[in-house]
Amino acid sequence: MSEHFKPSEFESKDGKPSPWPEVVDPGLYSLLEEIRADFGEPIYVNSGYRSPEHNKKVGGAPNSYHVKGQAADIRPKRYRDPEKWKTALGRLKIIANRRCQGGVGFYPSFVHVDLGPNRRWNGQ
């Protein structure tokens, strides 16, 4: 748990419990706080911990860091205007790329960050 993120934001969408007392690895909370501080505004967590069953259902990689409680898919929280939202997402991608020493995936509507080894990719 951290100042701006609550465990409930990271719970598996199928309601299954996480292996972590606070749903995800404490290091993930720290990483997201750093990203949020640089971003300067709220961040929405699309997906945090995923049970193996839920991960499979959504087409996640079998060895996904979401299943380990060490990943989050994030996006800007504010903005109704599509152009402002797109600009904010671009800024979030730059910040995540700079701050995250693990994995960073760039997608059209969110950014994936994880505590795994350093790697970068573009997703669909």
Side-chain angles (χ1 to χ4, degrees):
M1 191 158 41
S2 65
E3 182 180 354
H4 298 101
F5 299 97
K6 296 176 178 55
S8 60
E9 295 178 80
F10 297 89
E11 291 174 349
S12 184
K13 304 293 188 224
D14 64 0
K16 298 224 168 116
S18 161
W20 295 92
E22 296 293 342
V23 185
V24 293
D25 186 318
L28 185 59
Y29 287 112
S30 297
L31 172 62
L32 293 177
E33 284 291 349
E34 289 178 19
I35 292 170
R36 188 190 188 283
D38 282 3
F39 191 56
E41 55 189 86
I43 294 170
Y44 181 80
V45 178
N46 290 345
S47 181
Y49 170 71
R50 293 183 196 152
S51 70
E53 298 83 5
H54 181 67
N55 188 62
K56 185 175 182 180
K57 182 180 176 183
V58 300
N63 60 346
S64 171
Y65 281 88
H66 285 282
V67 175
K68 299 173 185 178
Q70 297 181 322
D73 296 339
I74 58 175
R75 64 173 172 77
K77 195 168 190 172
R78 307 178 195 201
Y79 304 107
R80 292 176 190 250
D81 178 272
E83 285 306 311
K84 288 182 181 177
W85 190 88
K86 187 177 176 182
T87 299
L89 179 64
R91 220 168 28 90
L92 187 60
K93 288 177 178 182
I94 291 167
I95 292 165
N97 188 48
R98 185 176 68 234
R99 282 289 184 174
C100 183
Q101 299 302 307
V104 180
F106 306 101
Y107 293 84
S109 61
F110 66 91
V111 182
H112 169 97
V113 293
D114 69 49
L115 303 179
N118 186 293
R119 62 213 190 289
R120 301 293 185 265
W121 69 92
N122 289 309
Q124 298 181 31

